[in-house]
Amino acid sequence: MFRKTMLAVALAAAVGSAEAGKDFNIGLEVIGTFETGVFDEGAAEIVSYDRWSRRLFVVNADANSVDVLDIRDPGNPQKLFSIDVADDLPLAGGVNSVAVSRWGLVGVAVENDDKQADGWAAFYTRSGRFLGSAPAGALPDAI
């Protein structure tokens, strides 16, 4: 993995059904970075953006957590806090995926420490408060 997590923001026009066949030139430009301080250990994998809070939820596989970054100033992203799933799920192994709904519900796919046992779909508020969990089979992913 990379030592730095690159954050890029691209602006693109919405594509309506009438424009579905047109070619678009989309350019990406790095406007800010956040350094995890971890190299080659999976410290920044899956990312989900919450447009209401302007936060990124980033799977930190090295720490088995979800790092929450404030990107209100995209040129200077700041880590606000981490969601440590082990605090809420004592048998938690690794964090495999994260997704944020438009209503601010944060879903986290969490594997069991025993990789053959059921993992969980854990649910949090966008501020990191644990709401509950549900069994999700062995090694859940892509929540």
Side-chain angles (χ1 to χ4, degrees), residues 27-142:
L28 299 176
E29 178 183 337
V30 175
I31 60 172
T33 61
F34 171 77
E35 188 172 329
T36 63
V38 176
F39 178 72
D40 202 27
E41 297 295 329
E45 292 187 7
I46 309 300
V47 177
S48 187
Y49 175 66
D50 177 32
R51 69 181 181 151
W52 299 110
S53 65
R54 297 183 67 185
R55 292 178 177 174
L56 289 179
F57 292 79
V58 183
V59 169
N60 183 334
D62 183 60
N64 291 332
S65 64
V66 175
D67 292 335
V68 181
L69 307 178
D70 180 348
I71 61 166
R72 285 179 290 175
D73 175 4
N76 187 29
Q78 299 292 314
K79 181 176 175 182
L80 297 174
F81 59 91
S82 291
I83 297 172
D84 184 354
V85 297
D87 291 344
D88 307 308
L89 302 167
L91 298 176
V95 174
N96 296 329
S97 188
V98 65
V100 181
S101 77
R102 66 179 122 181
W103 301 284
L105 181 66
V106 180
V108 182
V110 183
E111 68 186 52
N112 195 304
D113 196 35
D114 173 358
K115 295 193 185 315
Q116 294 179 341
D118 284 349
W120 304 268
F123 301 98
Y124 295 84
T125 64
R126 64 173 54 108
S127 61
R129 185 172 52 89
F130 181 65
L131 297 172
S133 65
L139 298 173
D141 202 6

Side-chain angles (χ1 to χ4, degrees), residues 12-32:
V15 179
S17 59
E19 299 177 300
K22 291 184 179 180
D23 291 329
F24 291 95
N25 293 320
I26 298 174
L28 299 176
E29 178 183 337
V30 175
I31 60 172

